[in-house]
Amino acid sequence: MKIGILTGGGDCPGLNAVIRAIYKRSAPHGHELLGFMNGWRGLIQDITMPLDSEHVRGLLHMGGTILRSSGDNPFHTDDGPQRVLETAERHGLDALVVIGGEGTMMGAARMWDEHGLPVVGVPKTIDNDLPGTDVTFGFNTALSVATEAIDRLHTTAESHNRVIICEVMGRTAGWIAAWAGIAGGANAFLIPERPTPIEDVADLLRARAERGRGFSVVVVGEGWDPLSRGNLFDGYREIQETDVYGYPRYGGVAHVAARALEELTGFETRVVILGHIQRGGVPTPADRVLASRFGVRAADLVHAGEFGRMVAARGEVIRSVPITDALGEVRTVPEEMFSLLDTFSG
Ligand code: F6P
């Protein structure tokens, strides 16, 4: 078989490990791989790279993606689907493995459904919010980076009696914020799923100060919606920017929260925005293993001719689900977990 591979959407640690795993599982069957560059753009514009044993060497621990990435989508491009089909035919593709998040997977689902392109999906995102799978690779690495940052912020916050707000990624999902906050011992949690008035956080910081803890570390998910019992955010509310694909561009809400907290408490409040540091660099061992298991399962699906499916983690098992399962509502931190955060707040 000739198997195409693309990586689309925001990169995340573990993408290269998936490519390597697909190679290792497919090569013994005599299958040949072909990489398409820059996500769907590679198929729309026919930009390829060979993926033979030379090209997949040393990939396991390498962050980013050797296939590069973009958020391009055949369905947002003139004649996109037609051009993808022509490229696939030109190269004699028997299958296409699409490694990506919601937007990339939407393209894959429609190419399969409406045009019969034989696709297999592999879910990825550091946000861990993709429906259809319990977990995505990249999340564990982002969590480790964010946890280490929070650990480090504690000591400097304490030395200077400061409040430090650490903003983490995740869009509308607070998984990185909640998990890194718990792991790093944050004193307060602001996550997108839970509307928390900033005055409550100010009360918590004052209560800590009264107990002799004049320093605090607050973790905030980038998609947290600033909420105040009064009108504190009237003048501060950010104008939401969008990226070139029309998705909201997050980043900076920690500054808004910091100004409000300083105003309410008088405590010096500083901000650290981790941003893309969470996405770069080497994958953790857990992400290398998960990405490898996803890659192997994807190769097995291709070999068996089971198309229109996406690999997914369910408990300890890697299975497959209809690729359309990735297109449902994003998986956010459920309400049952709020009390967990309360236990560790303060
Ligand atoms: O979805 C992954 C993610 O890293 C989000 O957490 C973040 O909001 C977004 O991508 C950033 O995207 P970009 O790299 O396009 O700015």
Side-chain angles (χ1 to χ4, degrees):
M1 290 174 98
K2 183 122 176 233
I3 307 168
I5 305 184
L6 68 83
T7 52
D11 71 340
C12 84
L15 288 168
N16 287 324
V18 177
I19 297 168
R20 169 183 177 268
I22 296 171
Y23 177 84
K24 286 207 171 270
R25 192 69 159 191
S26 302
H29 294 297
H31 301 329
E32 192 189 324
L33 303 191
L34 180 66
F36 286 90
M37 304 300 291
N38 311 308
W40 280 109
R41 195 185 306 159
L43 272 115
I44 295 166
Q45 299 180 1
D46 197 354
I47 315 167
T48 60
M49 80 169 268
L51 286 178
D52 50 31
S53 63
E54 260 321 291
H55 291 88
V56 300
R57 271 183 53 223
L59 287 190
L60 181 58
H61 61 276
M62 199 192 282
T65 162
I66 56 164
L67 295 177
R68 309 290 183 258
S69 193
S70 80
D72 286 6
N73 194 302
F75 295 92
H76 300 153
T77 311
D78 287 343
D79 298 329
Q82 199 47 41
R83 291 164 72 176
V84 167
L85 292 175
E86 281 165 16
T87 306
E89 200 176 315
R90 197 173 303 123
H91 291 284
L93 290 193
D94 298 297
L96 177 70
V97 179
V98 175
I99 312 170
E102 185 205 344
T104 311
M105 224 48 90
M106 186 271 282
R110 289 189 62 185
M111 284 305 301
W112 162 247
D113 211 40
E114 298 168 26
H115 300 277
L117 187 73
V119 299
V120 164
V122 177
K124 66 85 220 174
T125 168
I126 62 162
D127 302 341
N128 202 33
D129 63 348
L130 210 78
T133 181
D134 291 353
V135 65
T136 46
F137 63 86
F139 172 63
N140 187 267
T141 307
L143 174 59
S144 304
V145 171
T147 302
E148 189 192 342
I150 295 172
D151 282 347
R152 288 176 184 275
L153 293 176
H154 274 296
T155 56
T156 175
E158 183 162 8
S159 306
H160 291 270
N161 253 345
R162 283 172 174 157
V163 176
I164 301 188
I165 306 186
C166 179
E167 180 181 309
V168 299
M169 280 185 162
R171 296 184 186 266
T172 54
W175 293 109
I176 302 176
W179 266 211
I182 293 172
N187 307 111
F189 302 79
L190 293 171
I191 60 170
E193 294 85 343
R194 189 182 199 186
T196 309
I198 199 72
E199 287 80 0
D200 290 2
V201 183
D203 289 346
L204 181 147
L205 299 184
R206 278 193 221 95
R208 275 180 55 80
E210 275 157 27
R211 294 203 314 272
R213 307 242 188 325
F215 67 96
S216 297
V217 176
V218 178
V219 63
V220 62
E222 61 180 3
W224 175 69
D225 198 13
L227 179 71
S228 159
R229 290 192 204 290
N231 55 0
L232 262 176
F233 293 121
D234 286 358
Y236 294 142
R237 207 172 269 279
E238 281 185 315
I239 298 161
Q240 186 89 65
E241 289 180 10
T242 51
D243 65 16
V244 287
Y245 302 104
Y247 288 107
R249 182 181 277 161
Y250 295 97
V253 75
H255 287 293
V256 176
R259 257 177 271 148
L261 284 178
E262 266 194 354
E263 201 168 314
L264 289 166
T265 63
F267 301 154
E268 183 186 6
T269 306
R270 305 290 281 266
V271 165
V272 171
I273 299 176
L274 294 182
H276 291 85
I277 290 171
Q278 295 158 97
R279 261 179 32 193
V282 299
T284 58
D287 274 342
R288 294 180 203 189
V289 173
L290 184 60
S292 299
R293 294 179 75 200
F294 275 9
V296 163
R297 188 79 178 95
D300 287 350
L301 287 172
V302 167
H303 186 65
E306 290 186 39
F307 300 117
R309 313 283 298 172
M310 179 182 84
V311 304
R314 281 291 150 77
E316 289 309 308
V317 180
I318 306 296
R319 37 170 273 171
S320 80
V321 296
I323 200 164
T324 42
D325 281 15
L327 312 183
E329 276 204 10
V330 292
R331 266 180 359 96
T332 49
V333 176
E335 236 176 283
E336 304 89 85
M337 288 186 185
F338 294 175
S339 84
L340 185 70
L341 302 182
D342 289 339
T343 303
F344 298 111
S345 299

